[in-house]
Amino acid sequence: MKLFSRILLTLFFLVLVHAAFSQAKRKVEDLSDEEIATFFERAQSSGMTEAQLEKAAKAQGYTSADIAKMRSRLTQLGDSKTKEKTSTSKGKTSSKRSVSGKLSSKKGVKNSDDEDTEDVEMEEEELVDSTKRPNKLIYGSNLFNNKKLNFEPDLRIATPVNYTLGPDDELNIDIFGEVMDNYKVTVSTEGTVKILNLSPIYVNGLNVEAASARIISRLRQLYQGLNRPGSGSSAIITLGNVRSIKVTLVGEVENPGSYTISSLATVFNALYLAGGPNENGSYRSIRVIRNNKVVRTLDLYDFLLKADQKDNIQLKDQDIIRIGDFDSHVELAGEVRRPMVFEAIKGETLKDILRYAGGFTDKAYTYSLNVRRNTSRELKLLNITQDEVATFQPQNGDSISVGKIIERYENRVTVTGAVFRPGVFAIENGLTTVKDLIKRAEGPRENAFLNRATISRRKENYDPEMISFDLGKVLRGELADIALHREDSLTVYSLDSLRENQRVSIYGEVNKPGIFEFRAGMKVADLILLAKGFKEAASFAKIELSRRIITHGNDEATKEKIQVKTFDIDGSLNISNVASQFEIKPFDIISIRRSPNYEVQRSVTIEGLVNFPGRYAIPKDDQKISDLIFEAGGLKPEGYLDGAILYRDSTVVGVKLSEVLKNPNSKNNLLLMENDRLVIPRILETVKLSGGVQNPIAIAFVEGYSLQDYLDGAGGFTDYADKKNVYVKAPNGISTKRRRVFFFRVNPKVVPGSEIVVPEFPTNMKKGLTTAEAVGLSSALVSVALTLTTLINNLTK
């Protein structure tokens, strides 16, 4: 809570001083949250202490009641809300800074007695007008636009030896040794410090070292031998809180006026508070005037380019900082590292301006620079060569453009294809012809096609051109060598690129069937080895090799297009085997067939109510369902034969198991196939009804019940039921449809586990009228009949 109260009190003092220094005294209620947050940042940069801020506020006429009102207001806002509003106001300040290029909030630290102070409305109008200015960044302006830079003086440094004391400076006097004592004294307006039991000591205008010597000399009246050899007591005098001084910034400054700052502040501190030079101000000629004399001239470019702060001197009370008009502005655009507007002073050349811009980029066109200059009547264009850069002196308003080099080469040639070192080369001494280029590429490869090479070239009008020649004769000296032009591209073709890729294939019972690259001298056994050898099922007999029959030119056409050769082979692929040593040619296809007696294990599954359910092998091709049931030990007593289902490849196969067991020669006794699954369920005691019935339900099976009995148990048919096509689905998957024999309707048998399915018509294909519709129609007809009867009776009267 103490820390919170301290923060609120400090912030209050900052706000009061902001209001006092920016304009005439304002009521506490009129101060906005944005003004509080903006000045908080600026006051911190000034280095003023809380005591100095409080003193300044009271000097402007603020009372204790005003302080109480501000404290109440800050308490109501709360800590979190205060932080949020502070962040928001800083964001607004940043946006204003980006529009005008300077901090408008810096005006808030002006003293109220400054006659040139502008009100808030005028400041906002200036911000709006500033958006109409050209958005060209002046080199050095971002020094005062960057919120991360504030140049606030460091108040925690050791006491500067050359610091000159003045009114309101505070000194700490520490005495230690045989005597322990401490004094905190403040320099009065008369320039003296007062110590109990001593007359006033005049220190105004003395540096800390001289003042310390004078004070210690007077303290010896109270402490004999102080700071002398052999004495048991010593004293150290250090600077405590520093005083405030007033400096004035005039000329082409963003926010001219008087500023109250710390006495430790330097020229940079004052410039930052005032926003730096305006758009007409000079960054190269900033004068510090003291007692009507120029004591230092500051060039900000020395600091920006070399971090040189030799002219960043410490300010004194009543110093004047004057920013003059710039001499000339020169704009650099294009391929320079810092494209912006630079200030040039008399005698500087284009070479100096380029140095300020960081020099050229790596892609800059430096052969010639374009300068656009304003004359008294119109624009003028100048071309500056490389040799003139060091002597050319820009004028005010010059705009210098640095172009980009062209993406083309003045001496490049390329060689690709069947050479040992294809790539890009430079036309130079020793490389001017095709023969030279082939030599530099370390010659043609062994598979190079030397009968014909080509050069891709551009004509003078940049149309593409191709030059063909016999490369072999050029290399042997039988033809004249060919001179190269820039951007020529020489292509040396290879024999491989001029023919179809030669492949051979092998399929069938090998471990890695597929297509392989042909190699001269390849044998059948070699291709089998590339295919990772035979599979276990491979047959070594009747291996087939198919080969293309190729005819050229006027060769007589044959009826055969493919030549097929069949042979046996030794499975060991022994080199002594004639067949395995059969030489193959490009595009041959070899097929390895499966052995006729090879068979992999096949099995089926039986599940449900059998004595030994599980997976069983199919030992022979004529194995049937009855054999599987026999192998499984037969059915258990509770097994339901009529409900048995055979699944084959996810499809239900309807079988009548009871008929199979009675007659093994029955057509239902199917041959087994691999992965068949026979499921024998427990007897089912219900009958399910679905589809167009009033109440789809499962009903307990009752011996002797007919199909109609079960339909009645489900509430009968719906209005959309297709009564003619009712069918019964047996538990083994076989369905039986209701049918007619002459005038009689024959219903399918219903067994336990059956499902009675009543198809339904679509709603737009309803057959007949519902009962409710029939009653409604009858009522309507009766009403019509009664009306007609009454009408007729009335007419006959």
Side-chain angles (χ1 to χ4, degrees), residues 46 50 106 282 727 729:
S46 70
E50 292 182 22
K106 295 171 185 173
S282 171
Y727 65 91
K729 183 178 178 182

Side-chain angles (χ1 to χ4, degrees), residues 67-86:
I67 297 175
K69 288 180 182 179
M70 178 58 69
R71 181 174 293 148
S72 174
R73 178 178 172 185
L74 293 176
T75 303
Q76 292 175 359
L77 288 175
D79 185 54
S80 60
K81 193 170 183 180
T82 302
K83 290 181 179 179
E84 178 183 353
K85 290 184 177 293
T86 301

Side-chain angles (χ1 to χ4, degrees), residues 61-103:
Y62 286 94
T63 65
S64 300
D66 294 327
I67 297 175
K69 288 180 182 179
M70 178 58 69
R71 181 174 293 148
S72 174
R73 178 178 172 185
L74 293 176
T75 303
Q76 292 175 359
L77 288 175
D79 185 54
S80 60
K81 193 170 183 180
T82 302
K83 290 181 179 179
E84 178 183 353
K85 290 184 177 293
T86 301
S87 175
T88 305
S89 63
K90 286 183 178 180
K92 293 178 180 178
T93 304
S94 177
S95 65
K96 290 181 180 179
R97 189 191 295 246
S98 65
V99 173
S100 65
K102 307 296 175 186
L103 272 174

Side-chain angles (χ1 to χ4, degrees), residues 590-607:
I590 295 177
S591 299
I592 310 295
R593 295 187 171 85
R594 191 185 186 90
S595 177
N597 297 322
Y598 183 82
E599 186 73 42
V600 297
Q601 298 92 326
R602 296 178 299 157
S603 60
V604 294
T605 302
I606 184 168
E607 301 174 0

Side-chain angles (χ1 to χ4, degrees), residues 209-320:
E209 185 177 11
S212 298
R214 179 173 294 186
I215 293 171
I216 290 174
S217 176
R218 295 290 295 276
L219 282 173
R220 290 194 181 107
Q221 297 178 13
L222 303 177
Y223 307 96
Q224 293 185 0
L226 187 65
N227 276 21
R228 286 179 176 173
S231 172
S233 299
S234 300
I236 294 178
I237 300 176
T238 58
L239 187 65
N241 290 331
V242 297
R243 70 183 185 278
S244 299
I245 62 174
K246 183 175 290 187
V247 296
T248 304
L249 285 92
V250 296
E252 297 300 328
V253 63
E254 188 71 25
N255 301 303
S258 296
Y259 292 82
T260 301
I261 59 177
S262 167
S263 57
L264 292 176
T266 63
V267 181
F268 281 178
N269 301 139
L271 288 173
Y272 182 76
L273 287 172
N278 62 20
E279 62 178 6
N280 295 320
S282 171
Y283 289 80
R284 313 293 303 277
S285 179
I286 300 174
R287 295 181 175 88
V288 180
I289 302 172
R290 184 175 298 160
N291 298 326
N292 293 325
K293 293 182 180 179
V294 177
V295 296
R296 193 64 58 95
T297 300
L298 181 68
D299 187 344
L300 286 177
Y301 280 19
D302 290 338
F303 173 72
L304 293 172
L305 296 172
K306 299 179 291 185
D308 185 354
Q309 296 196 63
K310 68 179 185 301
D311 295 323
N312 184 26
I313 61 174
Q314 185 176 321
L315 296 173
K316 293 187 177 181
D317 191 34
Q318 302 305 322
D319 277 354
I320 298 175

Side-chain angles (χ1 to χ4, degrees), residues 10 13-14 16-17 21 39 43 46 48-58:
T10 301
F13 286 142
L14 295 173
L16 294 182
V17 177
F21 289 170
F39 183 71
S46 70
M48 295 178 68
T49 64
E50 292 182 22
Q52 293 168 340
L53 292 170
E54 182 180 3
K55 184 177 180 180
K58 289 182 178 180

